[in-house]
C-alpha cells in the first residue's frame, strides 16, 4: 500500500463526510437560504474532495487530467449555480424589500 492509496482514501472519506453533512443540513436547517448555503458549500467541497481522491487513485495519466477538468468545472459551476438560485429567490419573493430599496438622495428629491 503506497502513499497514493492512503491519500485517496483520506480524500474520498472526507468528501463523503462533507456530502453527508450537507444533506443533513438541507433537511435540518429552518429556511430556504440556510438550506441553500448548506447545499452549496457542502456539496461543492464534498464533490471537489471526491475528485481529488479519484485523481490520487488513478495516478498521473489521462484519466487524472479529465478529473482535473471536472474539478475546475465544479469549482466554477457549483457556487455560480447556488448564487443564481439565491438571486432568483430574492427577486421572486422581494426578501426584506430588497427590490424596492432606492438611494437616500432619490427619496429626498421627490419630497
Amino acid at each position: 500500500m503506497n502513499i497514493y492509496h492512503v491519500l485517496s482514501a483520506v480524500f474520498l472519506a472526507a468528501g463523503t463526510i462533507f456530502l453527508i453533512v450537507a444533506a443533513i443540513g438541507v433537511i435540518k436547517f429552518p429556511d430556504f437560504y440556510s438550506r441553500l448555503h448548506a447545499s452549496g458549500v457542502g456539496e461543492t467541497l464534498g464533490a471537489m474532495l471526491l475528485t481529488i481522491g479519484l485523481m490520487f487513485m488513478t495516478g498521473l495519466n489521462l484519466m487524472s487530467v479529465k478529473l482535473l477538468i471536472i474539478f475546475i468545472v465544479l469549482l466554477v459551476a457549483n457556487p455560480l449555480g447556488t448564487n443564481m438560485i439565491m438571486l432568483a429567490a430574492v427577486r421572486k419573493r422581494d426578501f426584506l424589500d430588497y427590490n424596492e430599496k432606492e438611494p437616500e438622495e432619490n427619496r429626498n428629491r421627490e419630497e
Side-chain angles (χ1 to χ4, degrees):
M1 184 173 239
N2 62 19
I3 189 72
Y4 291 117
H5 289 113
V6 173
L7 286 173
S8 174
V10 167
F11 278 107
L12 289 173
T16 304
I17 289 170
F18 272 100
L19 287 173
I20 290 170
V21 169
I24 292 170
V26 167
I27 294 170
K28 292 289 184 180
F29 281 154
D31 63 338
F32 173 75
Y33 298 101
S34 299
R35 291 176 181 178
L36 190 64
H37 179 72
S39 71
V41 173
E43 194 266 332
T44 300
L45 186 59
M48 288 176 15
L49 287 172
L50 284 175
T51 56
I52 291 172
L54 290 173
M55 285 167 53
F56 278 121
M57 186 182 288
T58 60
L60 187 60
N61 56 14
L62 183 61
M63 182 64 74
S64 63
V65 174
K66 292 176 184 179
L67 287 168
L68 179 66
I69 293 170
I70 291 171
F71 178 84
I72 292 169
V73 168
L74 284 172
L75 185 66
V76 173
N78 281 350
L80 185 64
T82 303
N83 195 13
M84 292 297 112
I85 292 170
M86 186 271 308
L87 286 176
V90 165
R91 287 190 185 124
K92 177 72 175 174
R93 188 166 174 212
D94 197 18
F95 187 69
L96 294 177
D97 294 329
Y98 178 80
N99 297 329
E100 299 300 322
K101 291 183 180 174
E102 57 186 72
E104 191 68 35
E105 64 265 2
N106 289 348
R107 278 188 234 151
N108 292 336
R109 285 185 205 160
E110 292 174 3
E111 295 175 358

